[in-house]
Amino acid sequence: MLKRKEFILGAAAGLTLAAAATAGGVINWPGAHAEPQAVNRITPVPANGDAFTPPPGAPSSFATIFDQVSPAVVQIDVTVKVDQPQGGGAFTIPGLPFQFVPPQGRGGQNNDEPQTTQGAGSGFFISQDGFIVTNNHVVADATEIKVKMSDGRELPARLIGRDPATDLAVIKVEGADFKYVSFEETAEPRVGDWVIAIGNPFGLGGTATAGIVSAKARDIGGAESPYTDFLQIDAAINRGNSGGPTFDIHGRVIGVNSAIYSPTGGSVGIGFAIPAEVAKRITSQLMRGETIERGYLGVQIQTLAPEAAAALGLPENTKGASVGEVTAGGPAARAGVQIGDIVTAVDGQVVTNNTELTRRVGAAKAGDTLRLDILRDGRRQTINVRAGRRPSEAELQGGTKGGDEAPSMPSAPSGAVVEGMQIAPMSDALRQRYSVPAEVNGVVVTNVERGSNAAGLGMPPGVVIMRANNRAVNSPSDLEAAVAAAKAASRPGILLLVRAPNGNTSIVLPFK
């Protein structure tokens, strides 16, 4: 399980969720933040001139590099508002999967007053005049931010800008004489190179851990990180390390701690850092006061799986991103993109999965024309789409709403049985029972036979089957005909576009 929201939340509650690793390298900041302040820039020089060959003694001790760079690393303490239900007691912290019980004597009996708690993360100076890089999730909900430096000073900070899509943020403290470090871009780290992470795990500021780069260009999945290929490192990263730096053996920042993989919430030796190249580009824009904008098509996509290609009768090596939903009135809808289209290239660049499509569209500017190569009904064609501006992550996430089944709803009608699924035509009663939006059409799964392949997929009652092998399904007979046609063509299964509470998705139902 990937953990984010890495804060230390209240003495009584213990420590919250985790995130981890960091960024690195050499950067020349624009305008007033450039060379006049370089007197304080920490620029370690490789002893032998080789970019990544460790200097003598490096594997046995990291003390010298820690002494050099640790003054630029800070602890970030934040005050976060929390929602408290009527009547006091436990309350929910946004983004956390558990309730928070305030310490004895805290919170009082006045439920009208806003409740707060404390969180902590890490960060590092990237300019002499007080700009600090951290993670977005460290400061996103903060009402107050304080920075604790290695020399014991505590300074108030203000938020300059943040980018939830890459989990990066920039804050600033007032002053003009801070030690700072730079992002490394030219000497790219290799798998197996030494790394050092410095930060504030569990509130223990100024902590150093060492390890190696375990992997590069790691796609950790999820909607929270669609634009980042992470560095994977095995240097211990724990709660509170979020937003801190990962250095190479020469003291150059190569990553920004952002997430850990952990079944327990603690470090198991798998951490993820936002690479320096991404961190420099985003934080440079934030420092200039710019808003991070990305291109937008208005489609919900997923990677075309090999079994989905087989179900559609496509060649075995077919790759791309399958369109599962098209936003009404969006750029893709206006250009004629349809549900079931498979995008195989953007402006001549091959697309092999949904991540590549997301990043290539995101790299475009609003108003740019994108040429999409698609497969539709097995035939290739080209569609030109004028990109829009991508809405904020909050706006995108707010567009999908799930519903709970009410116990008093009418019972589901019976219907045909297709491949172990009880199927019923759409009706007002089923829309009410399963909270199906008015614009969603298809047939409804009302029951699944135990031991069937549909049961093996975990398909619950209430799922709406909208399309089968890219053909609209408006009745149980439509689905039966699609299954019969697929079997007649000796297909191993059938590709279904289904509507679940969290949106459209494509699944392959294998035949027995």
Side-chain angles (χ1 to χ4, degrees), residues 401-413 425-441 444-446 461-464 501:
K401 297 180 180 179
D404 295 327
E405 180 180 342
S408 60
M409 292 295 108
S411 60
M426 184 66 72
S427 66
D428 291 341
L430 287 173
R431 287 191 187 278
Q432 185 181 10
R433 178 180 179 86
Y434 295 116
S435 301
V436 179
E439 67 274 11
V440 174
N441 295 301
V444 183
V445 178
T446 59
V463 166
V464 180

Side-chain angles (χ1 to χ4, degrees), residues 383-458:
I383 296 179
N384 291 321
V385 183
R386 187 176 182 181
R389 182 190 63 81
R390 181 179 173 87
S392 69
E393 300 305 308
E395 291 171 327
L396 290 173
Q397 294 173 12
T400 301
K401 297 180 180 179
D404 295 327
E405 180 180 342
S408 60
M409 292 295 108
S411 60
S414 60
V417 177
V418 181
E419 293 296 307
M421 301 177 292
Q422 189 91 18
I423 302 297
M426 184 66 72
S427 66
D428 291 341
L430 287 173
R431 287 191 187 278
Q432 185 181 10
R433 178 180 179 86
Y434 295 116
S435 301
V436 179
E439 67 274 11
V440 174
N441 295 301
V443 296
V444 183
V445 178
T446 59
N447 191 33
V448 178
E449 294 178 356
R450 183 175 300 178
S452 66
N453 286 345
L457 292 174

Side-chain angles (χ1 to χ4, degrees), residues 8-155:
I8 298 172
L9 293 165
L15 300 144
T16 69
L17 291 183
T22 169
V26 175
I27 177 171
N28 292 320
W29 296 104
H33 316 300
E35 288 311 308
Q37 54 184 254
V39 63
N40 275 345
R41 181 169 61 192
I42 302 168
T43 311
V45 178
N48 52 13
D50 190 339
F52 277 100
T53 300
S60 61
S61 176
F62 300 99
T64 300
I65 192 61
F66 177 82
D67 289 342
Q68 283 185 304
V69 300
S70 60
V73 183
V74 300
Q75 173 178 330
I76 299 175
D77 297 320
V78 298
T79 300
V80 183
K81 281 185 179 180
V82 293
D83 297 326
Q84 183 181 22
Q86 295 297 318
F91 51 88
T92 301
I93 298 171
L96 297 184
F98 54 80
Q99 288 187 316
F100 177 80
V101 181
Q104 183 70 26
R106 186 176 178 184
Q109 300 298 319
N110 186 356
N111 294 326
D112 294 330
E113 294 184 2
Q115 301 297 313
T116 62
T117 190
Q118 304 301 308
S122 302
F124 54 99
F125 282 104
I126 51 171
S127 76
Q128 179 173 315
D129 53 352
F131 284 93
I132 296 170
V133 171
T134 187
N135 281 150
N136 171 70
H137 73 259
V138 171
V139 297
D141 301 315
T143 59
E144 183 181 19
I145 306 172
K146 292 184 178 179
V147 169
K148 182 180 293 184
M149 299 175 59
S150 61
D151 60 9
R153 284 184 289 169
E154 293 189 27
L155 301 172

Side-chain angles (χ1 to χ4, degrees), residues 152-170:
R153 284 184 289 169
E154 293 189 27
L155 301 172
R158 59 187 174 91
L159 179 65
I160 298 300
R162 58 192 186 92
D163 179 37
T166 55
D167 196 26
L168 288 165
V170 174

Side-chain angles (χ1 to χ4, degrees), residues 304 314 317-323 341-353 356-357 360 371-376 379-382:
L304 180 69
L314 297 173
N317 61 349
T318 303
K319 297 184 182 299
S322 177
V323 176
D341 287 346
I342 300 167
V343 182
T344 60
V346 177
D347 290 338
Q349 292 183 300
V350 173
V351 167
T352 62
N353 54 50
E356 289 182 358
L357 178 57
R360 288 189 181 138
R371 189 180 77 254
L372 305 184
D373 294 339
I374 67 168
L375 284 171
R376 180 181 294 173
R379 295 186 295 272
R380 296 187 180 275
Q381 57 182 282
T382 299

